[in-house]
Amino acid sequence: MLWNTLLLALREIKRNVMRSFLTVLGIVIGVASVITMVTLGNGATQQVTTQIASLGSNLLMVTPGRRMGPGSAGSSPSFKVEDGEAIAREITSAALVVPVASRSTSAIFGNQNWSTTVTGTTNAFLELRSMSLHSGRSFSDSEARAGAAVCVIGQTVREKLFGSQDPIGSRIRLGALSFQVIGLLEAKGQSTMGQDQDDTVLLPLRTFQRRISGNQDVGMIQVSIREGQPTEKAQRDIRLLMRERRRLAVSEEDNFNVMDTKEITRMLTGTTQVLTGLLGAVAAVSLLVGGIGIMNIMLVSVTERTREIGTRLAIGALEREVLMQFLVEAVVLSSSGGLFGILLGLGASFGLKNLLQVPFVFNPGIAIIAFLFSAAVGVLFGYFPALKAARLDPIEALRHE
Amino acid sequence: MTASTETSRTPLIELQGVTKVYGEGQAAMQALAGIDLRIEQGDFVAIMGHSGSGKSTCLNILGCLDSPTSGSYRFRGVEVSQLTRDQRAKLRRFYLGFVFQGYNLLKRTTAIENVELPLIYRGVPTRERHQIARRTLASVGLEGWESHSPSELSGGQQQRVAIARAIIAGPSVLMADEPTGNLDTARSEEIMDLLCRLNREDGITIVMVTHEQDMAHYAKRIVHFKDGRIESDQQNGRAN
């Protein structure tokens, strides 16, 4: 019985290949966009998670501002080098304390020009980020102290400015000033939020403050906690120390943040998840529109096939058999559209993975949900037209022109 | 003695005082005003009459597509007016075949797929269904036309496909509504010859509505309708 109904429905779909295709196009696009959004979203989330996890669970980031995020830092005073020194001195569980200040600047060598991120920091930055030197050396103590015009460059900067030449010893210009390249970093690849970690120029912090930013500010202090020491305690201690140094009254809120990697992960993945959810919802609306499209075509199809329905009824088709035929037809249409959409969506995510630099993470759960949902759309929007067909009076239907 | 055998033998079709009224109140229109009709197994009845005489309404009731307003319709002794919609559908499925003026074949569907449609509703397995459909198409003279769609067939051929579809499940009665209405004389005669053969060789009872005298003369019995009543009912001397 069910097999026969399926056969009749498939025959009907085959009879109208073009129309069937157009009918399900809405579902195909809807499902494909849901799958693409969610797959890319999951990929982005996973990327953020793994990259932050690769920083190590013992990392704390101290940033000015009430909440970490763009634009909020300006409202509260920045950190100074002394704040980092205080942390290194007071917090016994701190292994490395690295002040970091960054700015986007163009780097020039000869007639080559490349816009990159210049970071003022200390040698400990390399250790903290597990970066190593490919050639040359890092800053000497005297260079760091004196704020000498020296820099260490990443592989991307080398490639853009020097091509295959050896950069060590050459001088590049950052902003208005000239700096000697003393070291070249090993390639590190993509980092958190998809930025190229090799696209960087490192300067001694003092050099950065004097020659690039022109102030004594430190954008962020990164602290790594010794193995086996509780990060929660260190976090609390740093917070109290900073409150004290910033002379915050008991009633005042923190105007800085001490975050561990778990919190950073939560914050960043939270953003991508909200975004994924929103895009998914938009895509789900298009699925609904696709469903209405199916209902529309099924209704047209019932009208168009009135005589055929009359013939079937005369031949001895039961009301429920006609109902089932149209319902199965709608479900076969919508679920095959769903299947096609899933494949299209996965294909699109796979194709976009390089363009958007987001890993491809196949989520079978969402594929199954999308498929079931598209089938449900078929049942929901196919039922009314099917009922209309089944309830036709055979005599009227046979007379229909 | 003869009287008892007469009453014990149930006719295939028996209409008693069948009326059919469409609409209600002032707008009510009486299509059938009391029809008594008996049709025995193996008969070939032509129902004639002008349009509005009630002949089509009568065929719809005989074909269990419609129910009488009053009166009794017994098919093989079963009171049809008391059956549910589904029961009537089952009755059509197992005992009746339909041939229409406009053929009513499924578009963009091959001849063999059209013919096997009733078998699908009967749940006959695919291979058997194909075999029977092929054989039935051959029996109406359409061997080799199995995979043609209706648009590739002439009117006469389409009506043959429709007849093949009507008889494939071996019905007791074939209900034909103006089967030659869309065909030229030569094609019409071919179709009538085919119907006569089915009646003669396969013993299928045929009830045919027509307004063409020439076609009616192929039948064994001609019933004239006028204003919802039977005007005359006579055996056809010329019948085969």
Side-chain angles (χ1 to χ4, degrees):
Chain A
M1 162 68 197
L2 193 68
W3 168 245
N4 284 333
T5 317
L6 198 66
L7 180 86
L8 289 171
L10 285 174
R11 231 175 232 189
E12 190 50 44
I13 290 166
K14 197 182 73 190
R15 211 147 56 114
N16 280 305
V17 179
M18 186 63 184
R19 188 174 73 186
S20 304
F21 172 72
L22 290 175
T23 307
V24 298
L25 201 57
I27 296 283
V28 172
I29 292 171
V31 170
S33 34
V34 168
I35 294 289
T36 311
M37 297 302 165
V38 174
T39 304
L40 290 178
N42 282 342
T45 308
Q46 198 207 50
Q47 184 183 39
V48 169
T49 314
T50 46
Q51 276 163 355
I52 293 171
S54 75
L55 291 175
S57 58
N58 56 346
L59 186 78
L60 294 178
M61 290 195 183
V62 190
T63 53
R66 289 202 159 74
R67 281 273 175 274
M68 189 175 146
S72 59
S75 59
S76 48
S78 306
F79 291 116
K80 306 288 177 206
V81 180
E82 292 73 27
D83 291 310
E85 287 168 357
I87 292 172
R89 200 169 52 238
E90 305 282 338
I91 311 298
T92 49
S93 56
L96 294 167
V97 179
V98 183
V100 176
S102 300
R103 177 169 292 192
S104 180
T105 315
S106 60
I108 300 161
F109 175 73
N111 55 1
Q112 300 297 313
N113 190 324
W114 179 246
S115 179
T116 183
T117 308
V118 178
T119 301
T121 185
T122 61
N123 284 336
F125 182 79
L126 300 181
E127 196 183 329
L128 188 94
R129 289 283 179 91
S130 350
M131 287 170 154
S132 51
L133 285 163
H134 175 267
S135 57
R137 60 177 179 84
S138 54
F139 315 123
S140 69
D141 284 346
S142 61
E143 282 166 345
R145 227 179 299 119
V150 291
C151 64
V152 172
I153 64 173
Q155 289 289 350
T156 305
V157 177
R158 176 198 58 80
E159 190 196 316
K160 297 293 177 186
L161 295 184
F162 296 94
S164 54
Q165 265 179 272
D166 180 12
I168 305 296
S170 307
R171 298 190 75 84
I172 61 171
R173 239 176 60 208
L174 298 171
L177 297 158
S178 151
F179 294 78
Q180 187 180 20
V181 179
I182 57 166
L184 174 64
L185 296 169
E186 282 291 359
K188 195 124 194 294
Q190 297 292 314
S191 87
T192 320
M193 308 306 285
Q195 97 204 91
D196 180 3
Q197 278 187 296
D198 300 323
D199 185 9
T200 185
V201 175
L202 302 180
L203 305 177
L205 180 63
R206 177 156 291 180
T207 311
F208 180 90
Q209 290 172 331
R210 278 195 195 156
R211 301 179 189 232
I212 305 285
S213 69
N215 59 39
Q216 298 297 305
D217 295 349
V218 169
M220 185 200 296
I221 302 169
Q222 300 188 348
V223 183
S224 71
I225 306 302
R226 276 182 230 286
E227 286 297 330
Q229 298 285 336
T231 48
E232 289 78 9
K233 183 176 184 303
Q235 206 173 350
R236 212 161 44 235
D237 291 347
I238 293 172
R239 177 166 169 255
L240 291 173
L241 178 65
M242 286 298 122
R243 282 187 71 88
E244 191 183 311
R245 288 183 64 83
R246 296 178 148 236
R247 298 196 172 78
L248 292 176
V250 184
S251 62
E252 281 180 282
E253 276 184 51
D254 293 353
N255 57 5
F256 60 90
N257 267 290
V258 185
M259 290 193 288
D260 64 7
T261 42
K262 259 179 284 168
E263 280 174 78
I264 299 167
T265 310
R266 210 177 301 131
M267 193 193 71
L268 292 177
T269 56
T271 316
T272 54
Q273 273 161 0
V274 166
L275 216 61
T276 305
L278 273 175
L279 291 171
V282 170
V285 170
S286 71
L287 249 181
L288 195 72
V289 174
I292 293 169
I294 285 205
M295 174 146 85
N296 196 356
I297 296 294
M298 292 302 292
L299 280 172
V300 170
S301 170
V302 167
T303 310
E304 193 188 277
R305 286 155 65 192
T306 300
R307 268 173 89 94
E308 175 196 321
I309 296 161
T311 311
R312 289 179 187 278
L313 290 170
I315 282 172
L318 301 179
E319 206 171 302
R320 66 165 180 277
E321 286 171 330
V322 174
L323 180 93
M324 278 304 281
Q325 186 196 334
F326 277 83
L327 202 57
V328 166
E329 209 177 302
V331 173
V332 167
L333 272 179
S334 65
S335 52
S336 61
L339 207 62
F340 194 61
I342 289 169
L343 294 177
L344 197 70
L346 290 178
S349 333
F350 196 77
L352 284 172
K353 109 189 136 115
N354 287 325
L355 191 70
L356 300 179
Q357 301 185 324
V358 163
F360 176 77
V361 183
F362 175 57
N363 183 340
I366 197 72
I368 291 167
I369 288 171
F371 179 76
L372 293 180
F373 192 79
S374 60
V377 161
V379 174
L380 197 69
F381 292 97
Y383 187 75
F384 177 62
L387 195 67
K388 197 183 153 192
R391 291 276 166 84
L392 282 174
D393 175 13
I395 300 166
E396 290 295 321
L398 283 167
R399 235 180 256 151
H400 188 268
E401 285 309 314
Chain B
M1 187 66 185
T2 34
S4 72
T5 45
E6 194 68 51
T7 46
S8 68
R9 210 191 59 198
T10 319
L12 181 67
I13 284 171
E14 188 173 29
L15 295 183
Q16 278 179 339
V18 165
T19 67
K20 181 70 190 180
V21 180
Y22 290 113
E24 276 173 31
Q26 291 281 2
M29 206 275 288
Q30 188 160 45
L32 294 179
I35 301 290
D36 299 311
L37 187 66
R38 277 167 73 117
I39 298 172
E40 303 293 340
Q41 180 74 50
D43 210 348
F44 186 165
V45 182
I47 297 177
M48 297 198 69
H50 297 291
S51 55
S53 62
K55 61 184 195 303
S56 290
T57 307
C58 186
L59 191 75
N60 285 339
I61 289 175
L62 289 175
C64 303
L65 292 168
D66 210 348
S67 313
T69 306
S70 68
S72 144
Y73 171 23
R74 290 173 189 276
F75 184 86
R76 298 177 134 218
V78 176
E79 186 56 56
V80 175
S81 52
Q82 304 202 331
L83 300 179
T84 63
R85 191 176 152 140
D86 275 1
Q87 285 171 324
R88 279 189 280 133
K90 286 255 171 76
L91 195 154
R92 292 197 294 273
R93 179 184 298 188
F94 289 104
Y95 296 105
L96 305 181
F98 288 87
V99 176
F100 308 95
Q101 180 176 1
Y103 325 130
N104 282 358
L105 299 177
L106 305 196
K107 282 175 265 174
R108 291 182 292 268
T109 303
T110 62
I112 194 161
E113 282 174 345
N114 264 295
V115 169
E116 68 182 15
L117 198 61
L119 296 186
I120 292 180
Y121 286 110
R122 283 198 180 187
V124 176
T126 315
R127 277 187 61 185
E128 201 184 330
R129 204 171 62 220
H130 282 315
Q131 279 174 4
I132 300 173
R134 215 166 275 279
R135 213 187 308 136
T136 311
L137 266 177
S139 78
V140 298
L142 284 176
E143 200 164 8
W145 294 88
E146 289 87 353
S147 50
H148 288 70
S149 68
S151 58
E152 298 166 332
L153 299 172
S154 72
Q157 285 173 320
Q158 288 188 53
Q159 194 60 294
R160 282 164 190 273
V161 174
I163 291 172
R165 181 179 66 191
I167 62 168
I168 190 168
S172 306
V173 188
L174 187 66
M175 302 285 173
D177 189 1
E178 304 269 11
T180 58
N182 287 5
L183 301 173
D184 62 31
T185 315
R187 255 16 89 201
S188 296
E189 282 168 0
E190 283 174 23
I191 293 296
M192 291 318 298
D193 286 336
L194 176 59
L195 290 181
C196 287
R197 203 189 79 210
L198 292 172
N199 176 246
R200 193 174 57 239
E201 291 174 8
D202 301 332
I204 298 175
T205 310
I206 298 179
V207 180
M208 174 181 79
V209 162
T210 184
H211 61 269
E212 293 169 274
Q213 200 71 43
D214 296 347
M215 300 308 138
H217 277 295
Y218 282 86
K220 291 176 180 169
R221 178 179 166 198
I222 302 177
V223 178
H224 274 274
F225 271 63
K226 192 179 184 186
D227 300 331
R229 291 178 198 283
I230 293 178
E231 192 187 38
S232 70
D233 182 348
Q234 55 209 163
Q235 295 299 316
N236 181 11
R238 219 200 82 176
N240 38 74

